[in-house]
């Protein structure tokens, strides 16, 4: 790729140069958005599974390999009278194809490791990065419906919720409400009659991350882009939750590293799997 040398202008910038500069800036911004969006383009088959524990897979730049096999998961729950021991609801990250996305590797690992009957359901929502707030609102409505329907149909089933990035944002808003967060559609928390059936919650790269919480995992000590206030706290779910966020993460730690944001299933799936199995009873 060739490079251009820019010389300090000695006078006023001409209209032609101003137009060219504006175009260059727009191209850089568009390129950055393309990188972020395509970073969530697909799943990583086998990442974090115990069978692959001896390997140390590296992130291929800032994007993942082609779409894996975990995208064709039902977006509807269990029918009454046909209930499993546990049910996992997976809410994917921004720009991922419909299905379970990158964090689906964790759901797969849990179902393989458990001795119980487990079903898996994906949240069917836009998962758009731009515009983001309406996508979160749509996800919150859909996940609320999924959760309440599953509890109504299978009141004795143990429910696990797991979400990555925007998916984690959506899960937190369903469980604790949005609170008074600027720019987002306000929604109340789901009834405790429903959330009492939730036994485990896994959040990875949550943009609403709050440092200093007992349920935090990872290295971050800084707030996410849309950090939760006390009016939408997840403290009531502390003993059921693990929230993974590392220093430098663009979204959950307000940092500058997309690579960190994409690393959680690789780094923490085994830990999250152990946590979930302990909560559902193996």
């Amino acid at each position: 790729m060739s490079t251009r040398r820019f010389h300090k202008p000695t006078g006023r910038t001409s209209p032609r140069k101003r137009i060219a500069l504006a175009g260059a800036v727009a191209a850089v911004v568009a390129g950055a958005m393309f990188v972020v969006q395509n970073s969530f383009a697909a799943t990583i088959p086998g990442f974090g599974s115990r069978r692959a524990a001896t390997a140390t897979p590296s992130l291929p730049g800032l994007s993942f390999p082609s779409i894996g096999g975990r995208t064709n998961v039902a977006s509807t729950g269990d029918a009454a009278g046909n209930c499993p021991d546990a049910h996992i609801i997976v809410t994917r990250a921004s720009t991922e194809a419909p299905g379970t996305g990158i964090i689906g590797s964790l759901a797969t690992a849990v179902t393989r490791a458990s001795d119980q009957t487990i079903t898996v359901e994906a949240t069917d929502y836009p998962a758009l990065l731009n515009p983001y707030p309406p996508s979160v609102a749509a996800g919150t409505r859909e996940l609320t419906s999924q959760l309440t329907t599953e509890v109504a149909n299978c009141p004795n089933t143990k429910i696990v919720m797991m979400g990555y990035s925007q998916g984690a944002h959506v899960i937190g808003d369903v469980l604790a409400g949005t609170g008074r967060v600027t720019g987002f559609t306000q929604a109340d928390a789901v009834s405790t009659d429903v959330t009492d059936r939730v036994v485990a919650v896994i959040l990875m790269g949550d943009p609403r991350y709050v440092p200093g919480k007992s349920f935090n995992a990872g290295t971050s000590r800084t707030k996410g882009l849309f950090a939760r206030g006390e009016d939408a706290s997840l403290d009531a779910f502390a003993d059921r939750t693990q929230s993974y966020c590392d220093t430098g993460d663009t979204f959950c730690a307000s940092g500058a590293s997309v690579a960190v944001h994409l690393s959680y299933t690789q780094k923490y799936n085994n830990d999250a799997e152990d946590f979930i199995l302990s909560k559902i009873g193996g």
Side-chain angles (χ1 to χ4, degrees):
M1 183 178 68
S2 62
T3 59
R4 294 184 180 179
R5 296 181 181 275
F6 290 91
H7 300 280
K8 184 177 180 181
T10 55
R12 197 179 228 176
T13 304
S14 68
R16 181 177 296 177
K17 287 184 177 180
R18 287 200 297 271
I19 292 172
L21 180 59
V25 171
V28 170
V29 172
M33 290 295 291
F34 180 80
V35 168
V36 172
Q37 290 178 0
N38 282 279
S39 295
F40 289 123
T43 63
I44 307 178
F47 256 34
S49 67
R50 296 195 185 283
R51 290 186 176 89
T54 56
T56 309
S58 59
L59 290 172
L62 293 180
S63 61
F64 289 124
S66 58
I67 292 175
R70 293 181 199 68
T71 56
N72 297 321
V73 173
S75 58
T76 54
D78 300 300
N82 188 29
C83 298
D85 297 317
H87 181 68
I88 302 175
I89 303 178
V90 186
T91 311
R92 72 191 192 278
S94 301
T95 77
E96 289 194 290
T100 58
I102 182 176
I103 201 170
S105 60
L106 175 58
T108 299
V110 171
T111 57
R112 288 175 177 172
S114 178
D115 295 327
Q116 302 185 59
T117 57
I118 300 177
T119 53
V120 178
E121 175 184 5
T123 303
D124 184 11
Y125 83 115
L128 297 175
L129 190 61
N130 184 25
Y132 185 78
S135 179
V136 170
T140 301
R141 291 191 298 270
E142 177 61 24
L143 181 55
T144 296
S145 176
Q146 286 179 291
L147 184 59
T148 54
T149 299
E150 182 69 23
V151 171
N153 288 347
C154 299
N156 296 317
T157 292
K158 294 163 286 191
I159 296 176
V160 176
M161 304 177 75
M162 57 179 69
Y164 207 108
S165 194
Q166 184 177 167
H169 183 153
V170 167
I171 288 173
D173 282 1
V174 169
L175 295 178
T178 57
R180 296 181 298 275
V181 57
T182 303
F184 289 87
T185 302
Q186 291 193 7
D188 294 329
V190 172
S191 166
T192 56
D193 291 340
V194 173
T195 59
D196 281 349
R197 300 309 305 158
V198 177
V199 299
V201 179
I202 300 295
L203 308 175
M204 292 185 173
D206 182 10
R208 303 210 68 186
Y209 180 87
V210 178
K213 296 296 183 180
S214 62
F215 51 85
N216 288 347
T219 61
S220 178
R221 301 294 181 269
T222 55
K223 293 181 178 180
L225 294 179
F226 313 110
R228 291 189 174 278
E230 289 303 314
D231 58 345
S233 172
L234 287 170
D235 289 351
F237 301 91
D239 63 339
R240 293 174 268 174
T241 301
Q242 291 281 271
S243 181
Y244 297 92
C245 180
D246 283 343
T247 302
D249 185 308
T250 307
F251 304 102
C252 69
S254 299
S257 177
V258 174
V260 170
H261 188 65
L262 301 175
S263 69
Y264 299 121
T265 54
Q266 178 185 352
K267 294 175 65 176
Y268 297 121
N269 262 16
N270 286 347
D271 180 74
E273 179 185 332
D274 288 340
F275 180 80
I276 293 169
L277 290 173
S278 73
K279 295 301 181 181
I280 66 173

